[in-house]
Structures are given as structure tokens and as C-alpha cells.
Amino acid sequence: MARPVICQTIAEAVATIPDGAQLLIPGFGPGTPYNLLTALYHRGTRDLHAIVNSIGLPPEQRWDERKTLMDLIEARRIRKVTTTFSAPTHPSQPSVAADLIRSGEMEAELIAQGTPTEVTSHPAVVEAYLGHGTAERLRQRAGVSAAAHPGATA
């Protein structure tokens, strides 16, 4: 197994993430990888497939320079989003993401609430929670091998 590479900058760390990559983003906000999203935004990475719990905050509700999934969506860098919630939180507040989904410019796949969080858990926990068959299908869909994770069954 190759040794991990320690990068000096976040830009160096994301340099090998290709256009079209899948991003599995955990949590409901506190676990959001803002440094990753900001670096991918500035690098210009596009055609991404984001797997998330929810799409995120519109620009007027953000408080600093960190980029979010919504920034990537608004920049038309997300090709597909797999999420539990894609609608605006309030019907009177328009959402660029909802507009892109409606127009067919961005594909959306809805999944059960909590699934992204469970998929990012230790594989043995995922299997205990979802059952082996479902866990294996999610790993295949995400391109992850059970053999790569000690504790998961093959």
C-alpha cells in the first residue's frame, strides 16, 4: 500500500481531484469540508457529483469567504446531486439549485434522510445499520470496496 502524501497546501491536496469526481460530504453543516469546497471552487473543478444530506445555504445567508456546495452549484460546477433534501427551505425564497434541477441542467437523486451520514461512518456501522446488501449497493454506487475497510464484510 502506498504511503500517504502530506501536502503543504490545500491547493496541492486537491490538484489530483479530476473533473467529474464524486464528493461525499458528511453531516448537516458542522462537518462540512469548507477548505475542500473552497479549494475546488478556486481550482475550477467541474462536472462533480455531490452526495450530501442537503444542498446548503443560499449566498445571502453566509457569513464569510468560505465556499459551500451552493457556490459550486451556482457556478454550474455540479452535474449531479444525490441528497435527502433539494427544495428551498421556504417556498418564497428562490433557489438556484431548485431552478437547475427543474430545468434539467443539474440532475438530482433523492435518498432517505441520514443515508449520507451513515455511508461516511465506519463500514461495520453502516452494515449494522443498513444491512449487508444495502451497504454493499451503496459502496458499489460510490465506487468503494468493502475490502478496503477493515470490519466490513466482503
Side-chain angles (χ1 to χ4, degrees):
M1 180 166 53
R3 293 182 56 95
V5 175
I6 298 174
C7 299
Q8 299 303 311
T9 66
I10 189 72
E12 182 185 349
V14 302
T16 60
I17 297 175
D19 288 345
Q22 288 184 342
L23 303 175
L24 182 59
I25 302 171
F28 297 89
T32 301
Y34 291 111
N35 290 337
L36 169 67
L37 297 172
T38 301
L40 290 173
Y41 181 88
H42 290 301
R43 183 172 175 264
T45 308
R46 43 189 339 98
D47 197 33
L48 296 166
H49 174 190
I51 303 166
V52 296
N53 185 64
S54 66
I55 290 178
L57 299 173
E60 62 275 3
Q61 294 181 7
R62 291 186 225 128
W63 52 89
D64 61 24
E65 298 300 314
R66 295 179 294 180
K67 299 298 181 186
T68 67
L69 181 62
M70 189 60 79
D71 290 299
L72 289 167
I73 289 171
E74 290 175 351
R76 310 302 199 266
R77 308 259 189 86
I78 302 293
R79 169 186 50 82
K80 178 180 180 179
V81 63
T82 300
T83 184
T84 62
F85 191 76
S86 64
T89 55
H90 194 283
S92 67
Q93 297 174 345
S95 162
V96 170
D99 292 343
L100 292 173
I101 292 166
R102 247 190 312 276
S103 73
E105 237 182 290
M106 182 173 71
E107 183 182 349
E109 176 182 13
L110 296 179
I111 56 176
Q113 179 74 35
T115 303
T117 303
E118 297 305 326
V119 170
T120 60
S121 298
H122 187 280
V125 174
V126 173
E127 290 195 25
Y129 182 75
L130 298 174
H132 174 70
T134 302
E136 186 59 27
R137 283 191 297 280
L138 287 171
R139 279 195 291 271
Q140 288 172 352
R141 187 180 273 176
V144 176
S145 167
H149 299 286
T153 57

